[in-house]
Structures are given as structure tokens and as C-alpha cells.
Amino acid sequence: MSIVVGFLPTPEGAAALEAARREAAAQSTTLVIVNVGSPRHGLHHQEQEEANQAAVENLEKELRAAGADFRLVHPVGDYDPAEEILKAAEDPQVELIVLGLRRRTPVGKMLLGSTAQRVLLQSDCPVLAVKAHH
């Protein structure tokens, strides 16, 4: 069995990864990490890309050192993060998706981010949503 988590180098991404690692360790399952942190556009594209790459490399080293059973998925091109997470979760072995949610203003709380909303509504397996620690 396996657990899918979307990876972003943000506090929300770190919270999701931590929860997914705990779940995977408790159930002795494979952790499937979908690297959705690569920005597709914007002024600081190169800087963000380099920061994300460094975060992914550090994560790989840390997981290897911990002896974790994991697989990294790197979407390419102009991809949709929700689509990539859902695609990874199509594997019948996947039993859980873990998502990080960011805190929002009172008005913003009425709406989830589009990625989280799509994954929650379209996933065929359970979804665990976690907030970043403050």
C-alpha cells in the first residue's frame, strides 16, 4: 500500500509531508511524494525553481538517511498540481492522500484553494488535510 503527498517547500507542504511520513511509518507503507512545487510562471521563476530543487534534494537525502520507503514523482511541463496528485492516487495501492492547507482570512475560509478543493472533491480515496504549525 502507499500514501500520496503533494510536496511544496512551504510551511503547509512541510506539515503535509510530516503527517504523510507519520502515516507511512505507522502503516509500513510506501510514501509517494508528488513534487508540485515547481512554479510554472512568474518573475522569480528561476529563483523559485532553484529553491524547490534544493528542498527536494535535501528531502531525498533525509528520507534515504531515515531508511524511508519512498518514491518521488516529478511532473514536467505546464502541469496542474491537483491533476498530478490525483493521477498519482489512481494506483489501486494508494490508500490515502495528504494535503497541506494554509490559513486564510475569514472570507477566504469559505473557499479552499483550488488544488485542495479539486483533490478533496475528486479523489476516490480518503484525504487527510493538515494545517501548518505556527
Side-chain angles (χ1 to χ4, degrees):
M1 300 310 261
S2 57
I3 292 171
V4 170
V5 61
F7 176 74
L8 285 166
T10 62
E12 300 80 38
L17 184 63
E18 183 182 319
R21 286 181 70 177
R22 271 198 315 269
E23 289 291 325
Q27 298 176 38
S28 299
T29 60
T30 303
L31 187 58
V32 179
I33 303 160
V34 183
N35 177 20
V36 292
S38 299
R40 297 181 299 285
H41 44 69
L43 284 171
H44 305 292
H45 175 78
Q46 188 66 36
E47 292 165 30
Q48 289 176 313
E49 184 71 44
E50 288 169 6
N52 182 65
Q53 188 58 40
V56 170
E57 286 171 11
N58 287 337
L59 172 62
E60 277 190 270
K61 284 181 199 163
E62 183 186 328
L63 289 169
R64 275 201 199 97
D69 180 8
F70 73 98
R71 183 165 55 86
L72 264 163
V73 177
H74 297 281
V76 293
D78 189 21
Y79 63 87
D80 172 10
E83 199 62 43
E84 296 301 323
I85 291 168
L86 289 165
K87 199 186 303 179
E90 285 175 0
D91 183 327
Q93 294 293 305
V94 173
E95 55 190 329
L96 179 71
I97 297 173
V98 182
L99 290 177
L101 300 179
R102 65 179 177 270
R103 293 186 184 275
R104 296 184 170 271
T105 63
V107 172
K109 285 180 183 173
M110 289 188 292
L111 301 169
L112 288 170
S114 60
T115 297
Q117 185 170 335
R118 285 192 51 212
V119 171
L120 284 166
L121 294 175
Q122 296 177 24
S123 172
D124 290 328
C125 69
V127 179
L128 172 63
V130 296
K131 290 191 286 188
H133 306 293
H134 288 282

